[in-house]
């Protein structure tokens, strides 16, 4: 796993983050498929090593121009546990990752999950269900948080009252 982590100050020429690559329309399907499998293997290795990163997101995964190879970056919200990350934590982090990559095809999501479980289809189904349950929990939490934040002034939002209209808007508007 350590060879897959980008160290402080280390640069990789020609690298892009996974979010940029996934948003690009000109990426060959074979590269998308390879990246999905590579992401599954990388996530499994990181979580098996005990990495708990609350910011496990595609913008924190670099795609190197060779082979394709993925490397982890940005560990400010990460910690190393005393053993492999729990199944619940893994499912939650994979659900967050899936949420951040909404345009990823179901087939590529399955490629990622199958790479995670080394091709074991029974384990893949169990992981798929766990990630789905974690995604529903995450969506409920996000909805509650949005409801709290959208009803009061805060760092990003403020109350707006105009003739005949009242509501909340982003501060920059």
């Amino acid at each position: 796993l350590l060879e897959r982590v980008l160290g402080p100050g280390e640069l990789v020429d020609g690298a892009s983050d996974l979010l940029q690559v996934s948003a690009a329309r000109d990426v060959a399907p074979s590269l998308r498929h390879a990246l999905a499998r590579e992401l599954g293997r990388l996530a499994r290795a990181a979580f098996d090593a005990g990495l708990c990163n609350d910011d496990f997101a595609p913008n924190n995964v670099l795609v190197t121009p060779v082979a394709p190879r993925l490397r982890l970056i940005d560990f400010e919200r990460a910690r190393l546990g005393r053993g492999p990350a729990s199944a619940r934590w893994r499912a939650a982090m994979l659900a967050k990752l899936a949420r951040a990559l909404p345009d990823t095809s179901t087939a590529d999501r399955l490629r990622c999950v199958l790479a995670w479980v080394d091709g074991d289809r029974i384990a893949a189904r169990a992981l798929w269900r766990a990630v789905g349950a974690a995604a529903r929990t995450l969506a409920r939490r996000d909805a509650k948080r949005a409801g709290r934040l959208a009803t009061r002034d805060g760092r990003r939002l403020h109350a707006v009252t105009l003739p005949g209209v009242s509501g909340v808007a982003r501060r920059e508007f």
Side-chain angles (χ1 to χ4, degrees), residues 54-157:
D54 195 41
D55 196 15
F56 191 73
N59 61 308
N60 292 330
V61 178
L62 282 186
V63 180
T64 63
V66 179
R69 193 76 168 155
L70 300 181
R71 304 206 40 199
L72 294 174
I73 61 171
D74 191 1
F75 297 95
E76 70 185 35
R77 291 170 41 192
R79 64 179 171 78
L80 278 175
R82 292 201 173 112
S86 72
R88 184 176 177 196
W89 179 268
R90 291 171 189 237
M93 291 303 100
L94 289 176
K96 284 177 108 175
L97 186 63
R99 175 183 66 179
L101 293 168
D103 295 333
T104 302
S105 71
T106 302
D108 279 339
R109 290 175 193 270
L110 183 57
R111 284 182 183 91
C112 180
V113 167
L114 281 169
W116 174 286
V117 297
D118 293 325
D120 181 341
R121 293 199 178 268
I122 293 170
R125 279 193 284 277
L127 180 58
W128 191 275
R129 283 191 300 272
V131 171
R136 288 187 293 279
T137 300
L138 186 61
R140 282 191 299 274
R141 189 191 76 190
D142 288 348
K144 284 175 73 173
R145 182 171 187 260
R148 278 193 322 269
L149 294 178
T151 57
R152 61 182 165 89
D153 282 353
R155 196 173 43 149
R156 295 184 200 154
L157 303 172

